[in-house]
Amino acid sequence: ELKEEFTRVLTANNPHAPQNIVRYSFKERAYKPIGYVDQTAIHFSLNGNLILKDSDEGRRQSVKSAVSEKPSLASSAVISEETEIKDEEGTEDTQAEGEEEAEEAGTAEEAEAEEAEEPPPPKVKEQKLANQFNFIERASKTLNNPLRERACQSEPTPCKNFSATANQWEIYDAYMEELQKMEKSKEKEKPKAQIAKKEEKKKGRKLTSLESQSDDITKISKAAKIMERMVNQNIFDDIAQDFKYFEDASDEYRNQKGTLLPLWKFQYDKTKRLAVTAISWNPKYKDLFAVGYGSYDFMKQSHGMLLLYTMKNPSFPEYVFSSESGIMCLDIHNDHPYLVAVGFYDGNVAIYNLKKATSQPSYKSSAKSGKHTDPVWQVKWQKDDMDNNLNFFSVSSDGRIVSWTLVKNELVHTDVIKLSAEGTTMQGPEGLQLQTLGCGTSFDFHKKIDYLFLVGTEEGKIYKCSKCYSSQFLDVFEAHHMAVDSVSWNPYHLKVFISCSSDWTVKIWDHTIKTPMFIYDLHSAVGDVAWSPYSSTVFAAVTTDGKAHVFDLSINKYEALCTQIVVAKKKNKITHIQFNPVYPVVIIGDERGHITCLKLSPNLRKMPK
Amino acid sequence: AEVDETLKRIQAHKGVIATMIINAEGIPIRTTLDNSTTVQYAGLLCQLTTKARSTVRDIDPQNDLTFLRIRSKKHEVMVAPDKEYLLVVIQNPCE
């Protein structure tokens, strides 16, 4: 180890010089290392006074030094001629050597130079050096006019702070306003409209002034209505959920049988003693239905009511109309869903207009205008006649089927048919032939064939009639032993109709065949029967013992798919049933004034293939 | 009036805690709650309704807000906005 040789090299590198200098190059815009670093190490530096002989400064100084020597030589030679000047210059020379040596020497030199020129060797004229420190400036200032300020301030323009958000809808609103303004201006151009406008404006002003005076809560009616429905929805939340979504899964295990799930129950204080006599769904608003209240009891006849409920608000009716006589039947017009035709117990008919706020009927028949003499059991709207007048038919126990037409705000009646009971012409006094009239209890018009309709009577017969023939029937069916409560054409099978009666039976017929196709015995008087709107083979019937029966002919021809007690109390009889045209729901009315809404389970809703 | 009856019915329903009518400026006109709570509700709900309406109309200017429901743990606040008024009902939904 000790014998290892360490070589030491003597280099000329400066150990203190940095080896990695990096400079920024603007050309390449980057930092570049400098390859060669200056290795010189300066150990000692001193600024000296030596000037190079041949440089400019050196030459100048050498000339000066040469000239300054000469006056001392030349003065001795030219003393006699210019003693005064020389003395001055000489004294000047000696005095101002330190300070103004250059200048005085320069002037002396010049003087000497001029003098020296006379004697031989001419010399170069020395330039006079301008001393920058001895600069004299001569300036003069003009008179400054005194400044005066005269200002005038105008009133600041009125400023207003405005802030708003520019939303889509604000833009839209602005455009709509513009549109309306344009339309109004167009209207104003017409002279007639101008006069009318003035009147309107006056009325409008009066109204607005009145409204603004009182803190009117009537404006909130719309909001209140929506709110009530929402509150109801919250309360009956589970029912609403059931209505929409509940499908009875146990139907699969029930062997084709179905159930009716009770949903809402509609009741109103004032109708507690009245029986539901008629139910009808509104053709336009599928959740709105009309209920007529009256009494079936011959002895106890009191007032009647017409209520319209909506499924959205089960706790209070939307519209309430009251009448003196019990309502026996009602029908809502298909095209004008605000017109309700009503038949009364006292034989009158009336039309209620839902759009008007009054609780009185818009048009009413009277004894003069040919009302029925017995209760009107059914009314049905017809298509508008040729003069575009509304008309409807009514059937009553007095044996007349009457067509009422609304002509110039009055109800005009025309007897269509008189139901003469066959074989009962009697010989009255003075040889008059009296015909006892049958009592019509229900009728139904054919869906497609307009003039064809069926009438059920109290004797149990069903007459097939035509609007064209006023005295003769097209056909008679010996249907039941007791009064026919309801007849109804099948909405799909155009030849089939159904009838129900208090003789405990429901019968299905083909109108070309005299005998019924099916007979069902329901063990209790049948109040009402209705076809379902979604299937041609499903129908429902209600009996006075509180049960609802649902049949599906495509599945079971002899038995009901569902027999369910709808009304709990024993004294309560069910009077009517109606299917909702859209939802799988039926409403059933009873004698206590209650309406129950039930949902059909899936088994009952099968569509025929 | 009919509206009065409707409001009375709403108030009488099961679970309804309070009913309020607030005008367009946020001043309560009718209320069944105490003053301080009502004023608080009025101010806050007014702003929320305006915001909600602005949202709905911003997306489609032809649309408009009809109803606003806020379901919280304790109860449900329902707001029915109108042109000039706001109808507020606080209900305890039965569950």
Side-chain angles (χ1 to χ4, degrees), chain A residues 167-169 172-173 215-217 219-221 223-224 226-228 230-235 315-316, chain B residues 3 6 9-10 13-14 21 29-30 54 57-58 61-62 67 69 76 78 82 84-85 87 89 91:
Chain A
N167 276 334
Q168 274 279 73
W169 55 273
Y172 175 79
D173 274 348
D215 216 5
D216 239 352
I217 305 187
K219 288 180 201 165
I220 213 162
S221 61
I226 299 177
M227 182 60 80
E228 197 185 356
M230 289 294 153
V231 169
N232 271 311
Q233 193 186 54
N234 269 341
I235 295 175
S315 55
F316 200 75
Chain B
V3 183
T6 316
R9 279 202 309 272
I10 294 177
H13 264 303
K14 202 170 39 159
I21 304 183
I29 298 175
R30 251 205 211 178
S54 168
R57 294 204 75 196
D58 213 3
Q62 290 178 331
F67 205 78
R69 267 200 198 191
E76 180 162 348
M78 294 184 275
D82 207 39
E84 304 163 18
Y85 293 93
L87 174 60
V89 170
Q91 189 187 16

Side-chain angles (χ1 to χ4, degrees), chain A residues 248 251 254 256-260 561-564 601-604:
Chain A
D248 202 343
D251 261 9
R254 257 189 249 236
Q256 312 279 342
K257 298 223 169 182
T259 50
L260 295 168
L561 287 187
C562 163
T563 309
Q564 190 167 321
S601 68
N603 264 352
L604 303 171

